[in-house]
């Protein structure tokens, strides 16, 4: 399910109406929240992450600005983590058959955008869990 502007929670719609906004930037509306610009539907994901994400001590989070080498960072991180698992040369490395974007979900886009409580059980079986984000540190 892809979240549309009309699918935003009432709380998010109220918040958006109080924020500085830009109409129709590259096909979507933007609003400025905590010093950063977000598309409305991604803002819902950011809010859901801020409220509901419970990091574990072993989590690895790849954080970067959009369009500045995120795919490369994800691939390097997957390669490093797989190397530490002492895979034999006969095993198929995940990067041989998967795009790094498919292996490392984006918190605010892939996991929390459509729901405040995504099912992370399949990620719980792997340690460390690997995520990415474009949200700023603050």
């Amino acid at each position: 399910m892809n979240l549309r502007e009309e699918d935003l929670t009432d709380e998010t719609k109220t918040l958006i109406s109080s924020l500085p906004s830009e109409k129709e930037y590259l096909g979507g509306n933007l609003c400025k929240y905590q010093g950063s610009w977000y598309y409305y539907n991604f803002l819902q994901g950011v809010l859901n992450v801020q409220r509901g994400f419970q990091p574990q001590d072993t989590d690895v989070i790849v954080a970067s600005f959009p369009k500045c080498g995120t795919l490369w960072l994800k691939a390097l991180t997957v390669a490093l983590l797989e190397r530490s698992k002492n895979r034999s040369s006969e095993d198929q490395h995940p990067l041989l058959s998967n795009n790094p974007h498919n292996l490392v979900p984006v918190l605010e886009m892939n996991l929390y955008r459509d729901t405040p409580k995504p099912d992370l059980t399949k990620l719980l079986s792997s340690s460390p869990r690997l995520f990415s984000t474009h949200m700023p540190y603050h």
Side-chain angles (χ1 to χ4, degrees), residues 121-135:
T121 54
K122 67 178 181 179
L123 297 171
L124 294 175
S125 62
S126 64
S127 182
R129 299 185 307 178
L130 184 55
F131 303 105
S132 71
T133 186
H134 291 311
M135 293 185 295

Side-chain angles (χ1 to χ4, degrees), residues 10 26 31 48 85 92 129:
D10 289 338
L26 296 177
C31 61
N48 289 342
K85 292 180 181 176
Q92 287 295 315
R129 299 185 307 178

Side-chain angles (χ1 to χ4, degrees), residues 41-66:
N41 59 344
F42 292 143
L43 179 60
Q44 183 67 63
V46 168
L47 296 171
N48 289 342
V49 169
Q50 289 177 336
R51 291 181 190 132
F53 179 62
Q54 296 296 316
Q56 297 177 356
D57 291 340
T58 58
D59 285 350
V60 174
I61 300 175
V62 175
S64 65
F65 288 109

Side-chain angles (χ1 to χ4, degrees), residues 1-13 16 24 27-29 39-45 48 108-109 112-115:
M1 174 182 158
N2 284 335
L3 192 68
R4 299 175 312 239
E5 286 183 31
E6 57 267 17
D7 296 328
L8 299 173
T9 65
D10 289 338
E11 183 181 1
T12 302
K13 289 177 185 175
I16 288 171
E24 286 301 316
N29 296 328
Y39 287 106
Y40 289 2
N41 59 344
F42 292 143
L43 179 60
Q44 183 67 63
N48 289 342
E108 69 274 16
M109 292 183 206
Y112 282 88
R113 186 176 71 174
D114 298 334
T115 178

Side-chain angles (χ1 to χ4, degrees), residues 95-108:
L95 288 173
L96 293 174
S97 59
N98 289 292
N99 183 306
H101 286 311
N102 296 334
L103 297 171
V104 185
V106 181
L107 286 168
E108 69 274 16

Side-chain angles (χ1 to χ4, degrees), residues 12-25:
T12 302
K13 289 177 185 175
T14 302
L15 174 64
I16 288 171
S17 70
S18 71
L19 298 172
S21 64
E22 251 329 289
K23 299 291 183 195
E24 286 301 316
Y25 179 77

